[in-house]
Amino acid sequence: MTAASPRTLYDKIWDAHVVKDLGGGSALIYIDRHLVHEVTSPQAFDGLRLNHRQPWRLGANLAVADHNVPTTPDRVQGIKDPISRAQVDALDANCAEYGITEFRMNDLRQGIVHVIGPEQGATLPGMTVVCGDSHTSTHGAFGALAFGIGTSEVEHALATQTLVLKKAKTMLIRVSGHVGPGVTAKDITLAIIGRIGTAGGTGHVIEYAGEVIEDLSMEGRMTLCNMAIEGGARAGLVAVDDKTIAYVKGRLYAPKPEHWDAAVADWKTLKSDPGARFDRVVEIDAASIEPQVSWGTSPEMVLPVGACVPDPAREADPVKRNGMEKALAYMGLAAGTPIDAIAIDKVFIGSCTNSRIEDMRAAAAVVKGRKKAANVKLAMVVPGSGLVKQQAEAEGLDRIFVEAGFEWREPGCSMCLAMNADRLEPGERCASTSNRNFEGRQGAGGRTHLVSPAMAAAAGIAGHFVDVRTLS
Amino acid sequence: MKAFTVVSSKIAPLDRPNVDTDAIIPKQYLKSIRRTGFGPFLFDDWRYLDAGDLEIDPATRRVNPDFVLNQPAHKGAQILIARNNFGCGSSREHAVWALDDYGFRAVIAPSFADIFFSNCFKNGVLPVVLKAEEVQAIFDGIAKNADAQFTIDLPAQQVRLPCGKAFSFEIDAGRKHNLVNGLDEIGLTLQQADAIRAYEARRRGEAPWLFQA
Ligand code: SF4
């Protein structure tokens, strides 16, 4: 390829990070930012110790405990569950031993790793960002190449500041036109997964483009890229624009004033060149996207709120039919049931998909002046970080939730994966703003329906799914 | 890392698409800070009738007789076969550790999720991509005879069936080399330390803001 040939955004970031070409499409790629959390790092630190290795560049790492931390106010007294506590203690001890910056559990800056990275400016345009967590794709909203890695790669990144990677294929998803009111980034990302399937992006890096993506706030772009992994892609990307730059400005890890102008000049080049070739292009008309609700046990099992639960008998592909039957049995749903007739037991508003200030505001706007339905046993709102929580409280959102009968919690992953005490009981049905509806994800036997914050809030008020656009 | 060359074994059939990492190893086990001991919890929700936890001895739990791995015919298999998009979901390497600890050396499927796929190679577990119809042929073969012996020959990049037929599979040359020789990737990369330092020096000049602490 000559220097003059048009390149995709992915090509540009890749090219800028090649330490060494290893042949056959593989390269040793430099890692600018490594985010660390308690679940996938202890074995990596052990590996370093066993082999007498040191972290390559301490300043590239930033650590936070999020998956196991309790979300109840009594956590200032420490974690009660001894196994969770051991894991968080291990992170604290490892970070202290090696000198890695960590936001500890009761630090105001603590929160879900994918919320705090951007919030602190630790995620910058054009960076390579990795974390031992699949939703690292979130950071692609900043025009950063960001992807999840396993624990062996966590150790590799710590020890060498690089990873051995094979170049991915590229996929452009262009969402043209404008979405209607009540349709959010979450609905867009769910609708895309419904369209391409959970393996649709496998082997690809997705770049999201089109007017709808340009219209989205940075929070919305994070929600979108967050679920690139649910579409099978290890990373999602959005080109840098003025919104990206404005978001980064003034944050803790943002470029120092003396580097700011040079950084901005560099970031402005972070978009695909006209005529750049993608391996696959998917065109979506924004006007076709409605508020979405997942009905099964895979994020691709998703439909507009006005639809009915599908009938496996009408599926021609036997493998798919079998998957649908298993999903309906697990979900306790009958084919043909209108989605807005499905009653729920719990509401969860939070997770790295939807726990930023904009999400809190969208949910609060729906519940304001209303009350949680009597059949809803628990509706919990879990902000993504201490700073999101502080901001929401400054805006009075916590009071709106509490007055409506929703619980207002401390930041963390919480019921997204139920590693702490927040979980569904067997058979319970939840309207959840998280990203995975796998069997048992929110607690053994629990049934998860993925929705936007506004739709989750509306379900909490109505007691069943309801088209948020019909609430007056 | 354990080397992988040739493995001959029967194959355990898991007839499901989209087997996700939560199903392979549920989250309560991710609280372990060790790398071993996950085998008894592999496919935990399907394998047992009662709920499990790190502190509960698996030997005291109620086994689900209907789950395929619990059927005597499939005991001892070192190869697992499943449908498309195996290993989707989270990045947890515990999924591969659990498969490995249980005794699986290889997984065959028509497709795998990316992170899981790459995690396999770090642990000496071989993910083999075959065509959907080849996977179907193996499922059919197991249904006729659960004891049938299959051979995965990594150097030859072949899965050999008991009937003598062989299916070829693709694999990245670098990954194959590391797996066949059981090489440690971090050690290999550290041989490039000078190249990494040279890259950093150049990059620090171009984009100094990336190196702020
Ligand atoms: S919020 Fe959920 S998906 Fe996000 S990092 Fe935490 S557990 Fe993972």
Side-chain angles (χ1 to χ4, degrees), chain A residues 66-67 112-114 133 135 226 350-353 412-414 416-417 434-436 441:
Chain A
D66 55 4
H67 284 63
I112 303 171
V113 65
H114 309 308
D133 190 283
H135 290 100
N226 174 273
S351 88
C352 57
T353 317
C413 293
S414 180
C416 174
L417 92 166
S434 55
N435 44 49
R436 291 197 173 129
R441 170 78 178 182

Side-chain angles (χ1 to χ4, degrees), chain A residues 33 62 156 166 230 241 252 260 358 437:
Chain A
R33 177 68 67 204
L62 179 62
H156 195 284
K166 203 173 171 74
E230 269 65 50
D241 64 7
L252 183 65
W260 179 258
E358 186 181 278
N437 50 355

Side-chain angles (χ1 to χ4, degrees), chain A residues 320-350:
Chain A
K320 265 200 178 152
R321 190 186 321 129
N322 182 268
M324 288 170 75
E325 282 163 357
K326 284 198 167 91
L328 289 188
Y330 181 84
M331 293 297 287
L333 290 173
T337 308
I339 285 180
D340 59 10
I342 301 173
I344 58 158
D345 303 300
K346 286 185 174 166
V347 174
F348 171 62
I349 298 172

Side-chain angles (χ1 to χ4, degrees), chain B residues 115-137:
Chain B
I115 304 180
F116 175 85
F117 191 74
S118 126
N119 284 343
C120 284
F121 289 100
K122 320 284 179 190
N123 294 282
V125 172
L126 178 65
V128 178
V129 179
L130 292 182
K131 296 192 191 79
E133 53 282 13
E134 295 169 342
V135 168
Q136 185 59 50

